[in-house]
Amino acid sequence: MASTEQETKGSVTLKGSSDLVKEYLDYGINSILYQRGIYPAETFVPAEHFGITMYMSTDEKIKSFLKSVLEQIRDWLCQKKMQKVSLIISNSATKEVLERWDFKVQYEGDGNATESGKTVGNKDFTLIQKEIRSVLRQISGTVSFLPLLDCLCTFDLQVYTVTDCEVPQEWDETQPCFIANAQEMPLRTFSTSLHRVETHVSYKAE
Amino acid sequence: MCVCVCVCVCVINVIAYQVNQEQPPDDELKSPTQKEIERIMSENLHGGDIKNMRILSYRNKAPGAPDGFLNPLKVVYSHSKAPASVKRISRYIPQTPDRILDAPDIMDDYYLNLIDWSPNNILAVALGANMYLWNAGTGKIQQLLTLEGSDYVCSVSWIQEGSSLAVGTSMGVVQLWDCSSLRQIRAMGGHSARVSSLSWNSYILSSGSRSGQIIHHDVRQRDHCVAELSCHTQEVCGLKWSPDGRYLASGGNDNMLYIWSAVAGQAYSEPQPLHALSSHQAAVKALAWCPWQPNILASGGGTADRCIRFWNCNTGSCFNVIDTKSQVCALQWSTTYKEFISGHGYANNQLVIWKYPSMTKVTELTGHTARVLHLAMSPDGTTVLSAGADETLRLWKCFAPDPVKKKKETTDSKATISLFHGIR
């Protein structure tokens, strides 16, 4: 047991950690889109990851949108430039913001610099997976208290970065979105020992 | 020409100045406290100072949901919201009890049945080893019996007509008392554990015990034990004959509800249940038969279940269910209105009056500081008595007839009387 611990310890690099956070966001966002009934359930297929089954969109447009955004987010995570991603769910007719999911990222510890200059975390991979799994389960469970989205909705992702971040092509600066009279609910937090991700959901109080 | 240009430039300058004046640069004119407030607000809203952040979004947005798409969760949400609403009612229900009686040492045991209100308006209350009779008309209190040693009363039940009272004890004996003369008539054995539930059907007294056994006693015979039912595997805490004597309902700590049909021409039941109903997730103590539809039974489950279910006993189907969000300790139907009342435990220890068959909440009656253990109805149907684990008995005049309707009835009867007079 001790030997395997030794092997898995310190195995998380900054790049690997960014990949994990990206995967979490991918599965988390897809889960939200499915569980909140924003798109038809038949456009989702079950996929097993992190030891649980989640539903992933098969809509090509949604897939390519998420792919481009999440690739960019991963780069920013590697450069430690991103602070927060917000998933905005709004009424497609009135543009009113109905729900906001915030994924706040904190950069933890300097990690141990290895000979090659890379920063490495020291957290067991299975433990990280377990933490991510419990957040994803909580996301599914939120259906029990979040108000019904009783209209056609769209979603958007807003990325909060540091000021010295370059705006890549096809990206625009926007204004933050708020919900009038909002209720906020914090979900569990997970940490890869390099990135610490807090998940919050804000919704319109009835 | 030259002058003209000059004036123009001047005017433009003035306008520019005015614009500048109207919208001065943010930071210069604001007080430090105002800046601080803005900073804190921004931190709360954005999770950081917005000035040190850039908010970016991808230009090619994700598509919206297809036209005409309806959120599939709508069904789930609308379903769960229904029973929570409190419907406006036209009649007045007093929110405080009419009377509060002390019930010292009443046993706080979910599985027992310690009060019963007779058709002669006498309330029987078991307090530990003692049995008291309270005459609701005169307020007179009599002590009927005191059990000896560590024995205590577990269940009481009045016969449908007359002054006989059945008392089940923790030793497994069922005693029969004549309450007009305060004398014991007989004692009937047969149970190996405490007798926690009793129900009469004419001359048959059915008793349920902690062992799960139900015995039908014919109180007229020397060999009183006419039938034994052993389906329950744990304590039988709810036992009720239907008002027409056709069905017996029994609920147990094994989360089972059994419906037994009466043997043709007899007052006791078949040895095999007609229906075995396993929908409750906790002990089934609260049982009540509908007074106007004799095949309808309401049953309530304990803490892990919290549901009131409605059964059609002819078919054995559950046709309605209410999630009450609280342990259901007791149920009573109103004989005055198409309503029923339920007694609850944690968190509010309240009584809830529900409309039937719409299952909407009419009102909630709060006041008990511990769970409501038992409910009993006065013979005139106006008053509900609740016995709480807070050692109080509370009388709620919640089913008093509508004064307007009552007036009409009395004038009607007067009219008929005067009509008779007229004929004479």
Side-chain angles (χ1 to χ4, degrees):
Chain A
M1 194 61 210
S3 64
T4 54
E5 258 182 35
Q6 205 64 41
E7 278 167 27
T8 49
K9 253 187 187 171
S11 62
V12 183
T13 60
L14 183 60
K15 192 172 170 299
S17 168
S18 307
D19 278 336
L20 265 177
V21 176
K22 183 202 143 191
E23 272 183 4
Y24 161 71
L25 289 173
D26 192 12
Y27 285 95
I29 291 166
N30 269 291
S31 275
I32 294 164
L33 297 181
Y34 173 78
Q35 296 288 357
R36 303 293 293 127
I38 294 165
Y39 294 99
E42 54 270 21
T43 62
F44 289 80
V45 289
E48 209 182 306
H49 204 73
F50 298 119
I52 51 171
T53 304
M54 284 157 292
Y55 281 82
M56 304 294 285
S57 179
T58 53
D59 187 304
E60 286 305 324
K61 282 182 186 161
I62 297 173
K63 270 165 78 181
S64 73
F65 170 79
L66 284 178
K67 188 164 178 276
S68 335
V69 175
L70 291 172
E71 295 277 317
Q72 184 61 53
I73 285 175
R74 195 203 37 206
D75 291 351
W76 277 324
L77 282 169
C78 278
Q79 298 158 19
K80 300 192 177 182
K81 284 190 171 163
M82 195 193 86
Q83 294 168 332
K84 187 168 100 169
V85 192
S86 290
L87 167 65
I88 315 285
I89 297 170
S90 49
N91 184 330
S92 52
T94 62
K95 306 289 172 216
E96 186 195 5
V97 181
L98 301 172
E99 205 169 290
R100 198 181 74 225
W101 291 80
D102 291 330
F103 305 94
K104 291 180 194 168
V105 180
Q106 280 169 358
Y107 299 92
E108 284 195 314
D110 296 327
N112 312 317
T114 55
E115 304 97 51
S116 54
K118 280 183 185 168
T119 46
V120 183
N122 54 358
K123 195 161 174 177
D124 191 1
F125 184 64
T126 51
L127 188 63
I128 300 171
Q129 272 214 335
K130 199 180 144 201
E131 284 184 12
I132 294 180
R133 193 156 59 222
S134 62
V135 192
L136 286 168
R137 280 217 186 93
Q138 249 195 335
I139 289 176
S140 314
T142 54
V143 183
S144 59
F145 66 85
L146 288 175
L148 171 66
L149 299 168
D150 195 9
C151 56
L152 282 183
C153 294
T154 52
F155 80 98
D156 195 12
L157 289 170
Q158 292 187 338
V159 185
Y160 291 63
T161 64
V162 292
T163 36
D164 63 344
C165 174
E166 260 182 57
V167 183
Q169 263 199 338
E170 301 197 301
W171 284 73
D172 290 322
E173 273 197 72
T174 65
Q175 287 300 308
C177 287
F178 300 113
I179 303 168
N181 190 20
Q183 288 270 325
E184 195 183 293
M185 164 86 185
L187 270 57
R188 283 170 196 260
T189 302
F190 76 89
S191 160
T192 65
S193 74
L194 295 176
H195 294 108
R196 183 183 179 79
V197 181
E198 283 175 37
T199 308
H200 294 257
V201 55
S202 313
Y203 54 97
K204 248 180 93 163
E206 279 173 271
Chain B
M1 194 62 195
C2 181
V3 172
C4 193
V5 168
C6 224
V7 168
C8 280
V9 169
C10 256
V11 168
I12 289 162
N13 273 346
V14 166
I15 290 167
Y17 177 73
Q18 278 175 343
V19 170
N20 274 345
Q21 279 241 312
E22 276 164 17
Q23 293 173 331
D26 275 2
D27 292 338
E28 280 173 28
L29 289 177
K30 276 180 189 163
S31 68
T33 43
Q34 211 173 351
K35 279 186 209 167
E36 182 65 15
I37 289 167
E38 279 187 7
R39 193 187 62 76
I40 292 167
M41 276 186 72
S42 146
E43 223 157 79
N44 281 334
L45 284 168
H46 312 290
D49 197 346
I50 199 74
K51 292 214 177 77
N52 304 330
M53 277 189 194
R54 270 186 139 160
I55 307 169
L56 305 175
S57 75
Y58 193 58
R59 204 172 285 163
N60 306 326
K61 305 287 183 208
D67 274 343
F69 165 66
L70 214 80
N71 194 326
L73 293 171
K74 198 166 180 172
V75 187
V76 181
Y77 278 82
S78 52
H79 185 73
S80 65
K81 264 179 190 168
S85 68
V86 175
K87 208 187 168 190
R88 271 175 54 89
I89 41 144
S90 52
R91 74 188 167 96
Y92 169 71
I93 299 173
Q95 292 294 305
T96 48
D98 199 34
R99 258 182 111 155
I100 300 178
L101 306 174
D102 274 334
D105 301 326
I106 193 165
M107 295 197 65
D108 182 11
D109 191 328
Y110 182 79
Y111 302 104
L112 307 183
N113 292 281
L114 300 177
I115 61 169
D116 199 20
W117 204 330
S118 83
N120 301 337
N121 211 14
I122 294 170
L123 182 80
V125 186
L127 304 176
N130 302 308
M131 186 81 224
Y132 292 93
L133 302 176
W134 179 67
N135 188 320
T138 62
K140 210 173 84 180
I141 298 170
Q142 285 175 310
Q143 186 171 4
L144 182 66
L145 63 96
T146 303
L147 296 175
E148 285 174 4
S150 58
D151 202 2
Y152 55 88
V153 180
C154 297
S155 51
V156 293
S157 183
W158 286 99
I159 196 165
Q160 284 135 318
E161 285 171 41
S163 58
S164 296
L165 179 74
V167 178
T169 70
S170 61
M171 297 303 195
V173 179
V174 179
Q175 299 181 356
L176 214 57
W177 286 74
D178 177 9
C179 292
S180 54
S181 55
L182 302 185
R183 268 187 325 118
Q184 186 174 351
I185 304 166
R186 68 184 292 185
M188 297 178 290
H191 282 297
S192 55
R194 70 176 189 185
V195 180
S196 37
S197 52
L198 290 167
S199 183
W200 286 88
N201 183 26
S202 185
Y203 52 86
I204 293 289
L205 173 65
S206 304
S207 61
S209 97
R210 191 171 214 168
S211 63
Q213 195 183 31
I214 299 170
I215 296 180
H216 294 303
H217 308 271
D218 185 337
V219 296
R220 307 166 305 177
Q221 289 183 26
R222 184 181 176 83
D223 298 323
H224 56 83
C225 179
V226 287
E228 278 188 35
L229 316 173
S230 39
C231 269
H232 284 289
T233 54
Q234 288 183 49
E235 183 153 23
V236 181
C237 46
L239 197 63
K240 284 270 159 66
W241 276 98
S242 68
D244 60 359
R246 278 179 61 208
Y247 297 115
L248 173 70
S250 69
N253 195 28
D254 51 1
N255 306 352
M256 288 300 294
L257 169 63
Y258 290 108
I259 309 291
W260 316 77
S261 66
V263 175
Q266 299 290 338
Y268 57 91
S269 77
E270 303 273 1
Q272 289 305 316
L274 180 66
H275 303 294
L277 310 165
S278 57
S279 303
H280 283 291
Q281 305 299 305
V284 186
K285 181 200 172 188
L287 294 174
W289 291 92
C290 179
W292 60 88
Q293 275 177 293
N295 59 322
I296 302 295
L297 174 75
S299 66
T303 314
D305 184 57
R306 307 175 299 275
C307 288
I308 301 174
R309 290 181 176 273
F310 293 85
W311 308 92
N312 179 346
C313 292
N314 292 342
T315 59
S317 62
C318 173
F319 64 89
N320 216 329
V321 54
I322 318 174
D323 182 6
T324 65
K325 315 256 188 292
S326 178
Q327 174 184 42
V328 184
C329 301
L331 281 169
Q332 277 285 342
W333 291 86
S334 166
T335 48
T336 321
Y337 297 95
K338 292 263 187 293
E339 288 171 358
F340 60 95
I341 186 166
S342 57
H344 298 276
Y346 183 81
N348 295 325
N349 310 312
Q350 80 279 38
L351 299 164
V352 183
I353 300 176
W354 308 82
K355 235 182 171 61
Y356 179 87
S358 64
M359 313 299 173
T360 47
K361 249 183 219 181
V362 177
T363 191
E364 288 197 8
L365 304 172
T366 50
H368 277 291
T369 53
R371 64 179 173 179
V372 178
L373 289 165
H374 318 285
L375 289 178
M377 178 80 72
S378 68
D380 62 359
T382 59
T383 310
V384 170
L385 179 128
S386 62
D390 55 357
E391 302 193 341
T392 61
L393 306 178
R394 287 167 200 247
L395 290 136
W396 310 83
K397 225 174 170 63
C398 52
F399 293 127
D402 199 325
V404 183
K405 278 186 189 165
K406 201 181 171 188
K407 218 177 183 178
K408 212 177 150 193
E409 274 170 28
T410 50
T411 49
D412 280 355
S413 59
K414 264 181 196 165
T416 50
I417 290 164
S418 59
L419 189 69
F420 277 114
H421 281 293
I423 289 167
R424 281 186 182 177

